[in-house]
Amino acid sequence: MNIGKVITPTPGRGLVIAGPCSAETEGQVMQCARDLAKLGQVDLFRSGIWKPRTRPGSFEGVGKEGLQWLKRVKEETGMNTTTEVAKASHVFDCLKAGIDVLWLGARTTVNPFSVQEIADALNGTDIPVLIKNPINPDLGLWQGAVERIYKAGITRIGLIHRGFSYHGETTYRNVPRWQMAIEMKRKFPDLQMFIDNSHICGRRDTLHEVAQEALNLNYDGLMTEVHPRPDEAWSDAAQQITPAVFGEMLKNLRLRKPTASEMEIAPLTELRRQIDEIDNDLIGMIGRRMKLSDSIGEFKAERNIAVLQSDRWEAILVKAAQDGATHGLSSEFMEKYLKAIHQESIDHQDAIVNR
Ligand code: PEP
Ligand code: MN
């Protein structure tokens, strides 16, 4: 794949996409745009024109009319503009209105029919496209959307990490699952990656820390929802911030160097060698652990004993949580780690008792 940048990088700072969740009125859009332009760091002004809402009856966007407001934003502030497209007619309307960049929302990336419809509409154009991760943690869908858009001849494609929906209690609106974005970046190293901290957080007080985490992970920039009067926003009020608060956040974010010179990272070489050695030992030890588990499997098979012994498993978990804590390992990590090992162990023993 030969993919260009959606936004030309500015040395020394991360790229910035900002604007309201939804375009509500011409006045709201223009006020937001003027205040954001004053920050002098916004590369792309965002605003939803057609809003995908979970249930009918909530504000579903102003529609086509709003595209003229975005046109005015560009004319008066010089900022490029972007909006979400979910079907072919949206693409045609945006192209006609001179929108600079399009984005595919999380509810579109999940649906190959919609993505293909948009790809077909894009065929023969060269507008840059940003693709949000699908709502559910399925890397294949995200990857598939990139491939469909690329096949349509679009050569500037970027990724937006907006988190994944999660069933259960969490402090996030959409859990980040950083490893999924890291894996996506590994598959498409040339694509710019943006963090949509607004939809990950769903609230204002954690926006900074999520954006900073993304910069620590070498993301190219961020997409944040900014509204002149967040509390009165017609959609996503809880997560939007004023241009002034946004400006403060930008000031406090620390950009990390993507790489460093050989000289500078020389001290890391030895530490990395030691880590590689430990990883190697760990894999060997886990292999040995599995062999013991196999022997236990043989024993159980001979006596027709169930593979899962709940008391024993509970005891292992409790002890590991305590041991982990003495080494500074979180109980969440210890649980994930042991569950993975335990599952592998069960799979091994299953294979033996099912023989
Ligand atoms: C948005 O950016 O306003 C939006 C609807 O995002 P998502 O597709 O990530 O939910
Ligand atoms: Mn939103």
Side-chain angles (χ1 to χ4, degrees), residues 53-58 60:
R53 306 312 297 277
T54 302
R55 298 185 58 208
S58 29
E60 297 193 320

Side-chain angles (χ1 to χ4, degrees), residues 20-22 46 51 132 173 198-199 225 235-236 239-240:
C21 176
S22 303
R46 68 147 278 156
K51 299 302 298 179
K132 289 200 176 197
R173 179 176 176 196
S198 301
H199 290 91
E225 289 186 343
S235 61
D236 289 351
Q239 70 198 28
Q240 299 202 66

Side-chain angles (χ1 to χ4, degrees), residues 30-168:
M30 291 314 299
Q31 187 185 349
C32 192
R34 285 190 197 108
D35 290 347
L36 281 174
K38 276 187 216 140
L39 298 177
Q41 299 185 54
V42 178
D43 300 282
L44 197 55
F45 180 81
R46 68 147 278 156
S47 183
I49 298 293
W50 300 280
K51 299 302 298 179
R53 306 312 297 277
T54 302
R55 298 185 58 208
S58 29
F59 174 60
E60 297 193 320
V62 290
K64 255 201 308 208
E65 184 192 359
L67 294 174
Q68 297 313 309
W69 308 342
L70 291 184
K71 225 170 139 175
R72 205 178 142 202
V73 165
K74 185 168 170 126
E75 282 160 10
E76 291 188 19
T77 70
M79 286 188 292
N80 282 347
T81 59
T82 184
T83 196
E84 171 175 354
V85 290
K87 50 188 190 182
S89 66
H90 296 164
V91 173
F92 299 135
D93 288 339
C94 286
L95 291 170
K96 220 184 295 167
I99 302 300
D100 299 282
V101 174
L102 305 180
W103 92 72
L104 268 59
R107 290 160 194 78
T108 301
T109 309
V110 285
N111 185 344
F113 284 132
S114 302
V115 176
Q116 193 56 51
E117 178 184 320
I118 292 167
D120 293 342
L122 286 167
N123 215 310
T125 72
D126 70 345
I127 189 165
V129 177
L130 293 163
I131 303 176
K132 289 200 176 197
N133 67 258
I135 296 250
N136 53 324
D138 181 333
L139 211 63
L141 286 169
W142 203 1
Q143 195 176 344
V146 171
E147 288 160 353
R148 284 177 202 276
I149 300 298
Y150 183 70
K151 276 196 181 162
I154 299 298
T155 57
R156 287 167 295 167
I157 303 175
L159 302 168
I160 300 176
H161 175 202
R162 51 82 76 200
F164 301 87
S165 72
Y166 182 80
H167 179 73

Side-chain angles (χ1 to χ4, degrees), residues 262-275:
E262 292 278 328
M263 275 277 281
E264 210 175 343
I265 63 166
L268 293 187
T269 313
E270 173 53 18
L271 295 175
R272 285 177 172 161
R273 193 196 56 74
Q274 289 182 36
I275 283 188

